[in-house]
PDB file of all heavy atoms in Angstrom:
ATOM      1  N   ALA A 367     163.048 119.205  49.333  1.00  0.00           N
ATOM      2  CA  ALA A 367     163.111 120.054  48.142  1.00  0.00           C
ATOM      3  C   ALA A 367     164.544 120.149  47.635  1.00  0.00           C
ATOM      4  O   ALA A 367     164.798 120.107  46.423  1.00  0.00           O
ATOM      5  CB  ALA A 367     162.567 121.443  48.453  1.00  0.00           C
ATOM      6  N   CYS A 368     165.480 120.242  48.568  1.00  0.00           N
ATOM      7  CA  CYS A 368     166.896 120.285  48.187  1.00  0.00           C
ATOM      8  C   CYS A 368     167.304 118.971  47.540  1.00  0.00           C
ATOM      9  O   CYS A 368     168.012 118.952  46.522  1.00  0.00           O
ATOM     10  CB  CYS A 368     167.743 120.565  49.427  1.00  0.00           C
ATOM     11  SG  CYS A 368     169.474 120.899  49.088  1.00  0.00           S
ATOM     12  N   SER A 369     166.849 117.863  48.122  1.00  0.00           N
ATOM     13  CA  SER A 369     167.166 116.551  47.575  1.00  0.00           C
ATOM     14  C   SER A 369     166.623 116.399  46.161  1.00  0.00           C
ATOM     15  O   SER A 369     167.312 115.904  45.266  1.00  0.00           O
ATOM     16  CB  SER A 369     166.576 115.465  48.485  1.00  0.00           C
ATOM     17  OG  SER A 369     166.754 114.190  47.921  1.00  0.00           O
ATOM     18  N   LEU A 370     165.385 116.849  45.948  1.00  0.00           N
ATOM     19  CA  LEU A 370     164.780 116.759  44.621  1.00  0.00           C
ATOM     20  C   LEU A 370     165.578 117.570  43.600  1.00  0.00           C
ATOM     21  O   LEU A 370     165.823 117.109  42.482  1.00  0.00           O
ATOM     22  CB  LEU A 370     163.337 117.256  44.679  1.00  0.00           C
ATOM     23  CG  LEU A 370     162.573 117.280  43.355  1.00  0.00           C
ATOM     24  CD1 LEU A 370     162.462 115.881  42.764  1.00  0.00           C
ATOM     25  CD2 LEU A 370     161.180 117.897  43.563  1.00  0.00           C
ATOM     26  N   SER A 371     166.018 118.756  43.996  1.00  0.00           N
ATOM     27  CA  SER A 371     166.810 119.608  43.093  1.00  0.00           C
ATOM     28  C   SER A 371     168.110 118.923  42.696  1.00  0.00           C
ATOM     29  O   SER A 371     168.493 118.924  41.518  1.00  0.00           O
ATOM     30  CB  SER A 371     167.110 120.947  43.775  1.00  0.00           C
ATOM     31  OG  SER A 371     165.930 121.622  44.136  1.00  0.00           O
ATOM     32  N   PHE A 372     168.785 118.337  43.667  1.00  0.00           N
ATOM     33  CA  PHE A 372     170.056 117.670  43.391  1.00  0.00           C
ATOM     34  C   PHE A 372     169.863 116.442  42.509  1.00  0.00           C
ATOM     35  O   PHE A 372     170.651 116.203  41.591  1.00  0.00           O
ATOM     36  CB  PHE A 372     170.737 117.276  44.707  1.00  0.00           C
ATOM     37  CG  PHE A 372     171.700 118.292  45.214  1.00  0.00           C
ATOM     38  CD1 PHE A 372     171.264 119.320  46.030  1.00  0.00           C
ATOM     39  CD2 PHE A 372     173.034 118.237  44.883  1.00  0.00           C
ATOM     40  CE1 PHE A 372     172.148 120.269  46.514  1.00  0.00           C
ATOM     41  CE2 PHE A 372     173.930 119.178  45.351  1.00  0.00           C
ATOM     42  CZ  PHE A 372     173.481 120.203  46.178  1.00  0.00           C
ATOM     43  N   MET A 373     168.838 115.655  42.820  1.00  0.00           N
ATOM     44  CA  MET A 373     168.629 114.433  42.053  1.00  0.00           C
ATOM     45  C   MET A 373     168.288 114.734  40.590  1.00  0.00           C
ATOM     46  O   MET A 373     168.779 114.067  39.673  1.00  0.00           O
ATOM     47  CB  MET A 373     167.524 113.594  42.689  1.00  0.00           C
ATOM     48  CG  MET A 373     167.837 113.078  44.093  1.00  0.00           C
ATOM     49  SD  MET A 373     169.342 112.066  44.161  1.00  0.00           S
ATOM     50  CE  MET A 373     168.800 110.614  43.268  1.00  0.00           C
ATOM     51  N   MET A 374     167.470 115.752  40.380  1.00  0.00           N
ATOM     52  CA  MET A 374     167.120 116.127  39.014  1.00  0.00           C
ATOM     53  C   MET A 374     168.342 116.649  38.265  1.00  0.00           C
ATOM     54  O   MET A 374     168.570 116.316  37.093  1.00  0.00           O
ATOM     55  CB  MET A 374     166.005 117.178  39.022  1.00  0.00           C
ATOM     56  CG  MET A 374     164.664 116.654  39.500  1.00  0.00           C
ATOM     57  SD  MET A 374     163.382 117.938  39.598  1.00  0.00           S
ATOM     58  CE  MET A 374     163.188 118.330  37.851  1.00  0.00           C
ATOM     59  N   ALA A 375     169.148 117.449  38.940  1.00  0.00           N
ATOM     60  CA  ALA A 375     170.358 117.984  38.310  1.00  0.00           C
ATOM     61  C   ALA A 375     171.367 116.874  38.026  1.00  0.00           C
ATOM     62  O   ALA A 375     172.047 116.880  36.992  1.00  0.00           O
ATOM     63  CB  ALA A 375     170.981 119.060  39.192  1.00  0.00           C
ATOM     64  N   LEU A 376     171.487 115.920  38.952  1.00  0.00           N
ATOM     65  CA  LEU A 376     172.403 114.799  38.740  1.00  0.00           C
ATOM     66  C   LEU A 376     171.987 113.978  37.533  1.00  0.00           C
ATOM     67  O   LEU A 376     172.832 113.594  36.703  1.00  0.00           O
ATOM     68  CB  LEU A 376     172.443 113.917  39.986  1.00  0.00           C
ATOM     69  CG  LEU A 376     173.268 112.630  39.873  1.00  0.00           C
ATOM     70  CD1 LEU A 376     174.734 112.938  39.600  1.00  0.00           C
ATOM     71  CD2 LEU A 376     173.115 111.784  41.139  1.00  0.00           C
ATOM     72  N   ALA A 377     170.687 113.704  37.423  1.00  0.00           N
ATOM     73  CA  ALA A 377     170.194 112.940  36.272  1.00  0.00           C
ATOM     74  C   ALA A 377     170.506 113.670  34.966  1.00  0.00           C
ATOM     75  O   ALA A 377     170.937 113.053  33.978  1.00  0.00           O
ATOM     76  CB  ALA A 377     168.691 112.702  36.407  1.00  0.00           C
ATOM     77  N   LEU A 378     170.306 114.984  34.960  1.00  0.00           N
ATOM     78  CA  LEU A 378     170.619 115.766  33.771  1.00  0.00           C
ATOM     79  C   LEU A 378     172.115 115.738  33.468  1.00  0.00           C
ATOM     80  O   LEU A 378     172.528 115.582  32.308  1.00  0.00           O
ATOM     81  CB  LEU A 378     170.155 117.213  33.968  1.00  0.00           C
ATOM     82  CG  LEU A 378     170.458 118.177  32.819  1.00  0.00           C
ATOM     83  CD1 LEU A 378     169.716 117.763  31.554  1.00  0.00           C
ATOM     84  CD2 LEU A 378     170.098 119.612  33.213  1.00  0.00           C
ATOM     85  N   ASN A 379     172.925 115.851  34.518  1.00  0.00           N
ATOM     86  CA  ASN A 379     174.384 115.851  34.344  1.00  0.00           C
ATOM     87  C   ASN A 379     174.867 114.543  33.718  1.00  0.00           C
ATOM     88  O   ASN A 379     175.646 114.541  32.758  1.00  0.00           O
ATOM     89  CB  ASN A 379     175.050 116.067  35.708  1.00  0.00           C
ATOM     90  CG  ASN A 379     176.554 116.285  35.598  1.00  0.00           C
ATOM     91  OD1 ASN A 379     177.101 116.455  34.515  1.00  0.00           O
ATOM     92  ND2 ASN A 379     177.224 116.284  36.732  1.00  0.00           N
TER      93      ASN A 379
END
Side-chain angles (χ1 to χ4, degrees):
C368 189
S369 174
L370 178 61
S371 301
F372 267 88
M373 296 302 291
M374 292 176 67
L376 175 62
L378 178 64
N379 188 10

